[in-house]
Amino acid sequence: MDKNWCIEKNTFEKQDVERNGSKFLIGNGFMGYRGTMEEYTADQLVAVNLAGFFDLAEGSNWRESVNAPNPLYTAIEAYGEELNIAKISPVLHKQKLDIKNGIHSRKTVFYIKDINITIKAERFVSMARENIVAMKYSISADKPMSVVVNTGIDKNIWNISGNHLNYTKEELSENKIELNAETVQLKNRLRIYEAVLDLSDIKNTAGDKILHSAEVNLRPNEEFEFIKFGGIYHDEALKNSKSNFEKAIESGYEVLKSEHISVWKKIWTNSDVIIDGDDEAQLALRYSIYHLCSIAPHNTEKCGIPARGLSGQVYKGAAFWDTEMFMLPFFQFTDKTVAENLLKYRINT
């Protein structure tokens, strides 16, 4: 892919975990998913930040945006060890953000007991279906071995000011999870769905994580691949959430990905600015445009653009006058629907 469309990191340093979470963000204006690894937890600042969904955390004085449980949590166990780059140094690690298509990917190689184990994953927050996030994940090894796949919803959420959610109901089936919660102060309802495909011999476990667990036998240099879908719903979207999520599953990963890329293609058709002769400036400008379009309210006039985008709860999700001074002009020329939504939000509040 053209180097002017990709943000890449080809090494791993623990001190970059927090920075990379924001740097490799994916989002669609409804939610932002930090650029964290699938095996990360709250300790590594995983966050699925929801635009315009606010509540007062226990022990806090100010409402802030709510982070949702993580429906893409996935961790691999090999010989009793969790393959987590925050705990085990990898022999190779690459992380990439394709800003042209809004897709995050990683490739990590671990060396355990004389075996190279490779994890690959790509994910996107759908620009075509705002409640949906999807992931393709694969494992391979250069020698025969078995691994345990633990994948599901992680309820242990990273929050800056304290807990925002009380969990009310869990429903588990062979390959799906439904998790219901309500916010601590306002009692607003939140529903998270998760589904995993192509992973057999599943059993559900409990705790901070609601997991499907399966033992997988790997053949040398053959990839074992599975697909995950997540659905996040609140407010008016709760009414048809189950059918909405089921339709996404039925559509399949590749159709969802194609829809998502098509929307980004339209966005870039209206938004791209081409700079000749300076690749660094070209990438920097496109990266800024990517973030603006990832965090803009495409489908609602009930929220603005927070000061830190959708990367977390810093600044409490507040929308400052920077929106009108620095961001609104961009949308006036590229996306009049978003510009109108931003103005209506300010008028209505």
Side-chain angles (χ1 to χ4, degrees):
M1 176 174 285
D2 187 335
K3 61 184 177 181
N4 293 329
W5 289 104
C6 284
I7 305 296
E8 296 184 79
K9 180 78 173 178
N10 294 320
T11 58
F12 174 74
E13 288 88 25
K14 287 186 178 180
Q15 66 268 21
D16 290 338
V17 168
E18 180 177 0
R19 182 184 302 112
N20 287 345
S22 300
K23 181 177 178 179
F24 291 90
L25 180 82
I26 53 176
N28 62 5
F30 172 78
M31 60 177 150
Y33 195 114
R34 283 174 59 79
T36 50
M37 298 299 101
E38 290 73 26
E39 65 269 23
Y40 283 1
T41 64
D43 292 338
Q44 289 79 42
L45 312 186
V46 174
V48 187
N49 192 246
L50 303 180
F53 192 61
F54 290 87
D55 204 69
L56 186 69
E58 296 171 342
S60 178
N61 295 319
W62 299 94
R63 286 182 185 148
E64 63 190 359
S65 57
V66 174
N67 287 331
N70 176 19
L72 297 187
Y73 173 81
T74 303
I76 308 300
E77 289 181 20
Y79 298 109
E81 290 190 80
E82 182 185 276
L83 303 184
N84 186 330
I85 60 172
K87 301 175 182 178
I88 301 175
S89 296
V91 296
L92 180 147
H93 178 69
K94 296 182 178 181
Q95 184 175 6
K96 182 171 75 173
L97 177 62
D98 169 4
I99 62 174
K100 185 175 185 178
N101 297 308
I103 295 174
H104 176 278
S105 60
R106 63 87 67 96
K107 178 182 179 181
T108 308
V109 180
F110 295 93
Y111 188 72
I112 305 289
K113 295 190 181 296
D114 202 32
I115 300 177
N116 288 304
I117 305 168
T118 301
I119 291 173
K120 296 179 184 178
E122 72 169 26
R123 65 175 182 252
F124 59 91
V125 175
S126 176
M127 270 289 190
R129 311 188 194 199
E130 68 176 11
N131 303 97
I132 302 299
V133 56
M135 179 178 78
K136 180 165 62 176
Y137 192 102
S138 71
I139 321 146
S140 62
D142 60 0
K143 295 179 182 179
M145 66 173 300
S146 64
V147 296
V148 176
V149 178
N150 293 306
T151 187
I153 299 177
D154 185 3
K155 298 189 293 184
N156 185 16
I157 300 169
W158 167 56
N159 285 303
I160 290 178
S161 300
N163 178 51
H164 285 282
L165 298 174
N166 291 321
Y167 295 105
T168 55
K169 187 176 69 170
E170 299 175 6
E171 291 187 9
L172 313 175
S173 64
E174 184 182 18
N175 71 326
K176 296 186 183 71
I177 300 170
E178 178 186 325
L179 175 65
N180 289 270
E182 62 179 21
T183 58
V184 171
Q185 183 205 21
L186 298 176
K187 309 301 180 185
N188 290 325
R189 293 187 299 150
L190 177 66
R191 186 172 299 150
I192 312 298
Y193 293 98
E194 182 265 5
V196 58
L197 308 183
D198 307 310
L199 193 64
S200 58
D201 298 322
I202 293 170
K203 64 176 182 179
N204 296 303
T205 58
D208 283 340
K209 301 173 182 68
I210 314 171
L211 300 175
H212 315 288
S213 296
E215 185 172 354
V216 176
N217 295 314
L218 300 177
R219 297 178 180 179
N221 301 312
E222 290 186 11
E223 287 189 352
F224 174 79
E225 182 180 276
F226 61 91
I227 303 295
K228 273 178 67 81
F229 302 97
I232 300 176
Y233 303 84
H234 59 76
D235 297 328
E236 296 90 346
L238 287 171
K239 184 178 180 181
N240 299 311
S241 61
K242 188 169 185 177
S243 61
N244 180 282
F245 185 62
E246 291 290 345
K247 287 177 182 176
I249 297 172
E250 291 169 6
S251 295
Y253 183 86
E254 294 302 330
V255 169
L256 293 177
K257 181 180 175 180
S258 178
E259 292 176 351
H260 169 73
I261 291 173
S262 293
V263 176
W264 269 110
K265 185 177 181 179
K266 293 178 182 177
I267 289 172
W268 286 113
T269 297
N270 293 330
S271 304
D272 194 20
V273 177
I274 297 173
I275 299 175
D276 290 326
D278 191 332
D279 290 339
E280 185 178 2
Q282 179 70 86
L283 180 58
L285 180 56
R286 283 178 172 161
Y287 183 62
S288 296
I289 293 171
Y290 164 80
H291 272 279
L292 283 170
C293 296
S294 296
I295 62 180
H298 296 277
N299 301 314
T300 181
E301 59 192 55
K302 294 183 178 180
C303 61
I305 297 179
R308 282 290 294 269
L310 295 176
S311 65
Q313 296 162 335
V314 176
Y315 292 112
K316 308 293 183 185
F320 300 150
W321 290 112
D322 302 46
T323 302
E324 283 74 18
M325 289 188 286
F326 303 128
M327 291 182 275
L328 180 61
F330 168 79
F331 292 110
Q332 286 177 297
F333 285 99
T334 61
D335 192 328
K336 291 186 178 181
T337 298
V338 170
E340 188 174 309
N341 286 342
L342 290 172
L343 286 176
K344 286 182 177 178
Y345 167 74
R346 191 66 81 181
I347 291 167
N348 292 338
T349 55

